[in-house]
Amino acid sequence: SLIATALCVVLGVPMALVLARTQFRGQGVVRSLVLLPLVLPPVVAGIALLYTFGRRGLLGQSLEVLGVQIAFSTTAVIMAQTFVAMPFLVLSVEGALRTAGQRYESVAATLGASPTTVLRRVTLPLVLPALVSGAVLSFARALGEFGATITFAGSLEGTTRTLPLEVYLQRESDPDAAVALSLLLILVAVLVIGVARRSVSPS
């Protein structure tokens, strides 16, 4: 989940910047694709990943020739979690960018700051609370992911079995363990909500 969250930040922040600060043909389609995991059932998302990166998938066949197998591996878990969690970060950062506007960035550019300096010293600090909030929500979504993970990565002990999958398996053999793990997930969810609210509330 931590790796998936890091990927959401690395990939999601540039995506949010492009969506909020530029205009291009097909932008609505790109935004729809970014938000698609929010409305897709997770199992459908897992099937889409499987038919793209599985051994007989669109890209998976070429990767298999190169000796790279993604499906039913730890990499598949990370990809599934990143896919379903990414929209939370993109929505948070894009919304903050649109709310902040471009006046501070324009002033910094007028004073001679390079685009990289503007991004590092002005844009990112402006949206930092939204970035933290989006990252926390992405982590929570990744940690609780079930459907896409079990479809694309399976439930291989020590390789692809996540906490939600363990809860699902334990509910028949050891209900007490399933309840304990569920309470752990609930505790994490409560903490995540608290951190997210604190990061967006005014100081």
Side-chain angles (χ1 to χ4, degrees):
S1 297
L2 289 172
I3 296 173
T5 303
L7 287 174
C8 286
V9 172
V10 171
L11 301 176
V13 171
M15 198 176 300
L17 283 167
V18 169
L19 291 175
R21 292 290 190 255
T22 63
Q23 296 290 330
F24 57 90
R25 181 176 297 180
Q27 188 172 15
V29 176
V30 173
R31 181 176 284 105
S32 297
L33 291 175
V34 171
L35 301 181
L36 192 61
L38 289 177
V39 296
L40 272 183
V43 173
V44 176
I47 291 175
L49 289 170
L50 188 61
Y51 274 82
T52 302
F53 296 101
R55 295 182 63 181
R56 299 182 180 180
L58 297 175
L59 301 177
Q61 291 183 0
S62 301
L63 294 173
E64 188 74 18
V65 173
L66 298 174
V68 178
Q69 184 176 343
I70 295 178
F72 304 103
S73 67
T74 305
T75 302
V77 176
I78 295 170
M79 288 178 64
Q81 292 183 352
T82 303
F83 182 74
V84 299
M86 181 84 73
F88 292 90
L89 187 128
V90 175
L91 279 177
S92 296
V93 176
E94 184 188 358
L97 286 167
R98 292 188 181 279
T99 301
Q102 294 182 263
R103 58 188 181 278
Y104 297 113
E105 296 164 333
S106 299
V107 170
T110 302
L111 294 174
S114 67
T116 303
T117 302
V118 172
L119 175 65
R120 181 170 52 87
R121 301 291 297 273
V122 180
T123 307
L124 291 181
L126 275 176
V127 300
L128 185 59
L131 176 57
V132 173
S133 176
V136 170
L137 292 174
S138 295
F139 172 77
R141 180 64 186 90
L143 186 65
E145 164 52 33
F146 177 83
T149 302
I150 198 170
T151 306
F152 183 44
S155 179
L156 307 175
E157 187 173 1
T159 304
T160 65
R161 186 170 298 172
T162 61
L163 196 55
L165 297 182
E166 187 67 20
V167 171
Y168 179 77
L169 294 173
Q170 290 289 348
R171 67 188 180 91
E172 294 292 342
S173 59
D174 192 350
D176 291 338
V179 170
L181 292 173
S182 298
L183 290 174
L184 177 60
L185 282 174
I186 292 171
L187 177 61
V188 171
V190 171
L191 291 174
V192 163
I193 292 171
V195 172
R197 287 189 62 184
R198 185 173 181 179
S199 65
V200 298
S201 62
S203 55

